[in-house]
Amino acid sequence: CGSGRDALAFRQAGFRVEAFDASPQMARQAALLLGQEVPVLCFEDVAWQERFDGIWACASLLHVAPADLPDVLRRLQRALRPGGVMFFNFKYGQGQRHSPDGRRFTDMDEAGVRALLDALPELSCLDMRTGEDDRAAELRERWIQVLVRRIPSSD
């Protein structure tokens, strides 16, 4: 959830919100902003089953290693109730890189997202688009944004 900014916006819009972050510092900051507990949790530890109607993973899955993304998306898929929706995005591109401070970034393009979703038949892609963020021109980056819905399994 990072700083908790988006979680707060969802709560102010009337949604019941649960948030978590892998960084203890970010979890503390979000807890202060939200006035609620924000656990320190990695995507690889998500074990919820059909708990959420929606998942907002804005600028967060991009920190997961490419090899771990299928398992992480499977975990998030299981956390959604059938019919639930999930938003996620990546900086546009291909491959993995590290920032000067050591943070990992996984970039994705349409083919990369399709390959991920092909392995997850319970996730139906509702929308996939690219665009630039609205920061100043010198900081602006291109993103791929994806909205999926969990469909019931056929078994």
Side-chain angles (χ1 to χ4, degrees):
C1 69
S3 69
R5 177 199 68 198
D6 293 353
L8 180 61
F10 278 110
R11 189 169 71 203
Q12 290 171 337
F15 294 95
R16 208 172 23 178
V17 172
E18 292 187 40
F20 68 89
D21 200 277
S23 161
Q25 180 181 354
M26 286 285 112
R28 279 192 302 275
Q29 185 176 342
L32 287 171
L33 182 66
L34 295 168
Q36 70 184 52
E37 180 183 351
V38 175
V40 175
L41 184 71
C42 294
F43 285 119
E44 293 82 0
D45 300 321
V46 167
W48 293 299
Q49 300 288 319
E50 297 186 2
R51 182 171 177 150
F52 303 108
D53 294 314
I55 294 175
W56 181 256
C58 183
S60 54
L61 292 178
L62 55 81
H63 295 298
V64 176
D68 296 332
L69 277 170
D71 177 62
V72 165
L73 279 172
R74 206 168 288 109
R75 288 171 177 276
L76 294 175
Q77 169 190 284
R78 285 192 302 259
L80 277 174
R81 291 184 180 109
V85 295
M86 175 171 45
F87 170 87
F88 58 90
N89 61 353
F90 293 91
K91 292 181 182 184
Y92 193 83
Q94 296 177 337
Q96 179 177 251
R97 58 191 165 79
H98 289 82
S99 65
D101 64 2
R103 292 186 306 155
R104 174 187 26 241
F105 289 90
T106 297
D107 298 333
M108 281 281 165
D109 60 12
E110 294 89 347
V113 170
R114 278 192 210 95
L116 281 172
L117 295 178
D118 284 348
L120 298 161
E122 285 186 42
L123 290 180
S124 172
C125 187
L126 300 174
D127 190 37
M128 182 180 350
R129 63 181 67 183
T130 62
E132 290 186 341
D133 55 36
D134 60 0
R135 294 182 289 178
E138 66 274 7
L139 300 173
R140 197 165 294 151
E141 295 186 84
R142 189 170 179 210
W143 292 78
I144 187 162
Q145 303 173 71
V146 184
L147 184 65
V148 297
R149 178 180 308 278
R150 181 178 178 186
I151 56 176
S153 62
S154 57
D155 48 44

